[in-house]
Amino acid sequence: MKKLLRVTVPLVLVAAATIGACGRRSTAGGQAQLLDLAQSRGLSPEDAAHAIKTFVAPGGRDEYLLFASGGHSGQVHVIGVPSMRLLKTIAVFTPEPWQGYGYGADWSERALATGPSGAAHAAHASHAAAVGDNGEDDPVNAKANGIADPDPIGPTEPLRWGDAHHPALSETAGKYDGRWLYINDRAHGRIGMVDLSDFRAKQILQVPNLQTSHGGIFATPDTKYVHISSKVPALKAWNASRGQTASLDDHLNRYGDIYRGYSTFVKVDPVTGHMRLKESFQVELPPYTQDLADAGKGVSDGYAFINSYNVEMATGGIQQGKPPIEVGASQLDFDYLHVINWKRAEEIIAAGKYTELNGIRVISLETAAAEGILHLVPEPRSPHGVDIAPKGDYITVSGKLDPHATVYGFELIKKAIEAKNYEGKDRYGVPILKFDAVVAGKVELGAGPLHTQYDNKGNAYTSLYLESAVAKWTLGPPYHPADRAFKLVDKVSIHYNIGHLSTAQGDTMDPQGKYLVAMNKWSIDRHTNVGPLHPQNFQLIDISAEKMELLADMPVGFGEPHYAQMVKADIIKAHEIYEPGTSPASNAKSPDALASEKDARIVKRPGEVEVWMNVVRSHFTPDIITAKVGDRIIVHLTNSEQTPDATHGFAIPTKNVMLSLDPGETTTVKFVMDKPGTYSFYCTEFCSALHLEMQGWLIVEK
Ligand code: CUA
């Protein structure tokens, strides 16, 4: 009976879709035709219905965009929903030649020159050495920020990769505003900023005092700050700033004394979206392992919530007679949810109760505890996700070792803080709220619950890693009356081992329902075998009805994506072209922009050749440049096109010089030719019928 029903429903759907799509055909004929077609491709009527639900006709548009982290590819992938087609890859932590990111273009070199000590960390040492300009003049960089000290625990060599983990779209009043996207690097305490007006990464900031970061990233509801916290604790900033390091003995026996976590509120420039370290601050945390985090919103605006595990402070040291971390970190029944009152922290900063450590203002753990900035809430052991409900009123925490979702009430937390309803303090003096006083509900979901997202009907969706499923359950009042609150209502199987999940705008104050994308770690037996390394797997699920329905698989052959945010496509408003002469570095007119091709010129100075070059279909002007070996060559290129998609490239053989110039763009590249010869530079984009002729000569003499 059940089977019959499942087959009948899609049949009706197929028929209905047929009427809609081919109104002139007879319904019966159309239905028969479609069913024949489905059968000939070996599709069940159910499959055919799913195909129709996800198909976007040629020239059509997707309703949503999914911004997915690219994991250790260091990139962000933009995917259309429901078609699950990859639209673009935005390079952030990793050079990417198609977009001219990290191959000499000034805007990209600045982004990759990770601050605050950007000069020391320019991503391309060869360029940096050659041009003597590692972005010191960049307003987002170190010196303009007044930061002298390099971060003692920051990277010491140019980083050419990052583990892109958790994207955070900028928000206005708790809703995505389509302006910027921030993403953290799991391997380091870095945040990359992507400007969504041109889908280009513009800044990477190394946040001091963090060595690693995980899910600590979110934008506050009006993007005043973007938040990042440490994952494993790092050397206490105070000690690191004085050059102190740790020995094996310190690590094994004084772990709790020498390490600290840091929750960082990175100030965002409201006009440019750039991160400003000088106006940012950190709250020192106990040396637990801080994990995922989310921003309060609505009633909880001004608060931040961070999970932690390993409150046991297991050190590792299997060969030193200590338990493996996985065992040592799972001893206690409870870990701690950190509740941070960041508006209170702002007041404490304004009152000057901070220490500047390694280029950032830090509120000490003692001050944070004493001033009511930091409270701890017990959470069932080894939690992973913490996700705030759309109105900011519930906080869902899921523990990988506990089959329940634990739902805290924000009002209950506030009351407990006011009444000092503590069950005690941790060894650092941070008050711990009484568990029973703050829990609004518990829902048994299944094995290995991780992350939760929400819809527009008061439902929550939690990924179950061990069970390979998504569980749908109900929130409490005002979303659902008390008798229907915190109930499991549906489950759908996932293939396999789901990590994060993303519902449409499901972590904002404007969730949409409709679609859910499951981000799966394993795809064994799902796709054609392409070697021992299988693609990851995204699965699209229809959540518009009471029962969830799996619609499509999308194999993902790039890195290990972690989290994604799904935004209504019409919220994103990227330029089709730049205003003539715009520098992507400044988003303003470049002083080196050419007003017309006639102004193209070459200026020679001792040891230097400076070129203002016009680029248009299908020639470069000038198309011959002469220089001497060792000359510093500076080329300002203006793509004088104003036709959408009339992109040109600029590549020089033997050098890591590869630009991509969008219509209207002015970009500068600086390099040194170290061997005499005649080099043919050329346009790398198939821009016109005469694209192959779009080349020129760089003649380098001894
Ligand atoms: Cu310009 Cu090819």
Side-chain angles (χ1 to χ4, degrees):
M1 184 63 205
K2 201 173 169 193
K3 177 86 181 166
L4 190 69
L5 191 74
R6 283 179 61 203
V7 175
T8 311
V9 173
L11 267 171
V12 172
L13 225 159
V14 171
T18 310
I19 299 165
C22 341
R24 273 165 296 172
R25 269 188 234 161
S26 84
T27 312
Q31 184 176 345
Q33 242 181 16
L34 268 179
L35 287 176
D36 283 351
L37 189 60
Q39 218 161 32
S40 74
R41 292 213 57 225
L43 301 175
S44 70
E46 218 173 8
D47 293 333
H50 296 167
I52 290 173
K53 281 187 172 187
T54 56
F55 181 67
V56 172
R61 299 286 188 277
D62 279 295
E63 189 180 359
Y64 291 94
L65 295 177
L66 186 77
F67 287 85
S69 63
H72 27 39
S73 78
Q75 303 167 333
V76 173
H77 303 282
V78 188
I79 295 160
V81 177
S83 73
M84 302 307 281
R85 295 175 301 181
L86 177 65
L87 297 172
K88 193 161 197 176
T89 290
I90 309 168
V92 182
F93 298 110
T94 314
E96 198 289 308
W98 172 55
Q99 295 157 85
Y101 185 72
Y103 295 90
D106 53 356
W107 62 271
S108 70
E109 296 303 325
R110 285 178 184 191
L112 281 162
T114 289
S117 42
H121 302 147
H124 284 269
S126 63
H127 284 291
V131 303
D133 170 9
N134 308 321
E136 294 100 311
D137 57 331
D138 185 348
V140 306
N141 222 306
K143 287 189 180 160
N145 263 324
I147 293 154
D149 300 340
D151 175 8
I153 62 165
T156 59
E157 63 177 349
L159 295 173
R160 285 184 294 273
W161 79 292
D163 192 355
H165 249 249
H166 293 85
L169 287 160
S170 59
E171 297 182 11
T172 299
K175 299 173 185 179
Y176 299 147
D177 59 21
R179 302 180 76 192
W180 311 299
L181 179 137
Y182 302 87
I183 187 156
N184 72 307
D185 168 8
R186 158 70 181 86
H188 312 97
R190 299 194 298 166
I191 306 176
M193 186 277 267
V194 175
D195 188 336
L196 293 177
S197 75
D198 58 7
F199 277 57
R200 283 173 156 174
K202 298 295 175 74
Q203 186 190 12
I204 297 172
L205 182 75
Q206 170 71 49
V207 176
N209 305 326
L210 308 183
Q211 196 167 69
T212 57
S213 69
H214 186 222
I217 188 154
F218 58 74
T220 55
D222 285 303
T223 320
K224 182 172 187 180
Y225 300 103
V226 56
H227 173 274
I228 186 171
S229 45
S230 49
K231 183 173 171 64
V232 292
L235 266 186
K236 239 172 143 173
W238 177 248
N239 292 348
S241 71
R242 292 181 300 183
Q244 291 184 9
T245 55
S247 66
L248 172 65
D249 183 53
D250 292 332
H251 177 84
L252 293 176
N253 301 310
R254 284 177 289 282
Y255 187 99
D257 300 325
I258 62 170
Y259 296 123
R260 289 292 180 271
Y262 294 90
S263 157
T264 317
F265 291 82
V266 178
K267 183 70 172 46
V268 172
D269 183 296
V271 175
T272 64
H274 282 166
M275 296 168 281
R276 305 285 189 204
L277 201 55
K278 207 177 170 186
E279 297 158 57
S280 308
F281 64 87
Q282 281 180 327
V283 178
E284 193 176 55
L285 303 176
Y288 312 141
T289 298
Q290 280 81 24
D291 198 19
L292 280 112
D294 202 359
K297 54 199 173 200
V299 293
S300 54
D301 187 10
Y303 285 79
F305 305 89
I306 310 175
N307 269 341
S308 68
Y309 62 93
N310 197 16
V311 304
E312 297 86 347
M313 296 186 274
T315 59
I318 295 170
Q319 294 179 332
Q320 283 76 25
K322 301 263 187 182
I325 293 175
E326 68 197 30
V327 175
S330 309
Q331 300 296 308
L332 301 173
D333 287 337
F334 286 94
D335 288 284
Y336 297 126
L337 174 68
H338 296 41
V339 178
I340 296 178
N341 183 339
W342 61 259
K343 289 201 173 158
R344 178 79 187 125
E346 282 183 325
E347 294 168 7
I348 295 301
I349 289 284
K353 294 187 199 169
Y354 65 84
T355 309
E356 188 156 334
L357 291 170
N358 309 316
I360 190 164
R361 298 172 297 179
V362 181
I363 297 173
S364 72
L365 183 51
E366 296 70 27
T367 305
E371 299 286 351
I373 293 168
L374 177 63
H375 289 86
L376 300 175
V377 175
E379 45 187 4
R381 72 156 74 137
S382 298
H384 197 48
V386 51
D387 298 285
I388 316 302
K391 297 178 200 296
D393 41 4
Y394 291 112
I395 299 134
T396 302
V397 162
S398 298
K400 355 176 234 242
L401 302 181
D402 178 332
H404 299 86
T406 306
V407 188
Y408 301 92
F410 179 70
E411 288 305 326
L412 298 175
I413 288 179
K414 238 170 86 175
K415 264 189 219 157
I417 290 174
E418 277 159 23
K420 296 193 188 317
N421 194 359
Y422 303 151
E423 63 173 51
K425 292 187 173 181
D426 76 349
R427 67 175 264 196
Y428 304 97
V430 186
I432 304 164
L433 304 181
K434 270 211 181 98
F435 181 69
D436 291 338
V438 294
V439 173
K442 285 192 101 178
V443 199
E444 184 162 347
L445 298 176
L450 295 183
H451 305 282
T452 299
Q453 295 261 294
Y454 303 94
D455 71 8
N456 54 343
K457 295 174 190 148
N459 300 306
Y461 300 81
T462 301
S463 55
L464 304 175
Y465 177 83
L466 293 174
E467 195 173 322
S468 286
V470 170
K472 174 181 177 180
W473 52 278
T474 55
L475 285 167
Y479 306 93
H480 289 284
D483 62 325
R484 285 175 48 215
F486 307 121
K487 299 255 190 309
L488 176 68
V489 291
D490 191 27
K491 241 186 215 188
V492 66
S493 283
I494 292 302
H495 316 86
Y496 304 93
N497 300 75
I498 177 174
H500 274 279
L501 73 179
S502 175
T503 58
Q505 302 184 176
D507 63 358
T508 72
M509 298 189 76
D510 185 26
Q512 305 268 304
K514 289 196 177 184
Y515 297 112
L516 182 155
V517 172
M519 281 158 261
N520 310 331
K521 304 299 177 193
W522 287 39
S523 71
I524 179 173
D525 81 19
R526 288 305 274 190
H527 305 294
T528 304
N529 182 12
V530 287
L533 178 62
H534 291 242
Q536 310 269 305
N537 198 24
F538 282 4
Q539 289 190 303
L540 178 68
I541 295 163
D542 181 350
I543 56 167
S544 57
E546 189 64 19
K547 284 204 69 70
M548 294 179 281
E549 194 180 7
L550 176 64
L551 298 179
D553 276 25
M554 177 194 179
V556 173
F558 40 73
E560 193 208 25
H562 288 267
Y563 182 44
Q565 289 182 324
M566 198 193 306
V567 57
K568 204 119 201 293
D570 58 17
I571 290 176
I572 308 293
K573 294 186 173 68
H575 313 313
E576 280 274 18
I577 53 171
Y578 289 105
E579 292 287 318
T582 301
S583 156
S586 63
N587 280 1
K589 191 162 179 120
S590 165
D592 294 304
L594 285 181
S596 94
E597 188 171 336
K598 285 194 228 75
D599 300 328
R601 61 196 185 275
I602 300 175
V603 173
K604 290 197 176 180
R605 291 178 287 266
E608 193 167 271
V609 177
E610 187 164 11
V611 184
W612 284 264
M613 182 183 278
N614 188 69
V615 184
V616 74
R617 276 166 289 174
S618 300
H619 56 275
F620 297 100
T621 309
D623 60 351
I624 296 181
I625 303 169
T626 58
K628 291 248 187 301
V629 167
D631 279 352
R632 166 181 156 110
I633 302 172
I634 305 164
V635 189
H636 312 286
L637 301 99
T638 296
N639 177 349
S640 55
E641 306 268 4
Q642 284 285 290
T643 306
D645 225 7
T647 295
H648 298 287
F650 177 73
I652 297 183
T654 75
K655 299 302 285 184
N656 279 312
V657 172
M658 168 52 223
L659 309 190
S660 173
L661 300 146
D662 286 331
E665 174 178 339
T666 296
T667 278
T668 295
V669 60
K670 302 173 185 179
F671 56 94
V672 172
M673 295 305 287
D674 19 41
K675 265 198 310 197
T678 301
Y679 301 87
S680 156
F681 59 84
Y682 77 106
C683 170
T684 49
E685 286 280 323
F686 209 130
C687 55
S688 74
L690 297 173
H691 151 72
L692 288 176
E693 286 78 359
M694 193 164 175
Q695 59 123 96
W697 298 100
L698 171 59
I699 298 167
V700 181
E701 297 173 72
K702 266 189 217 165

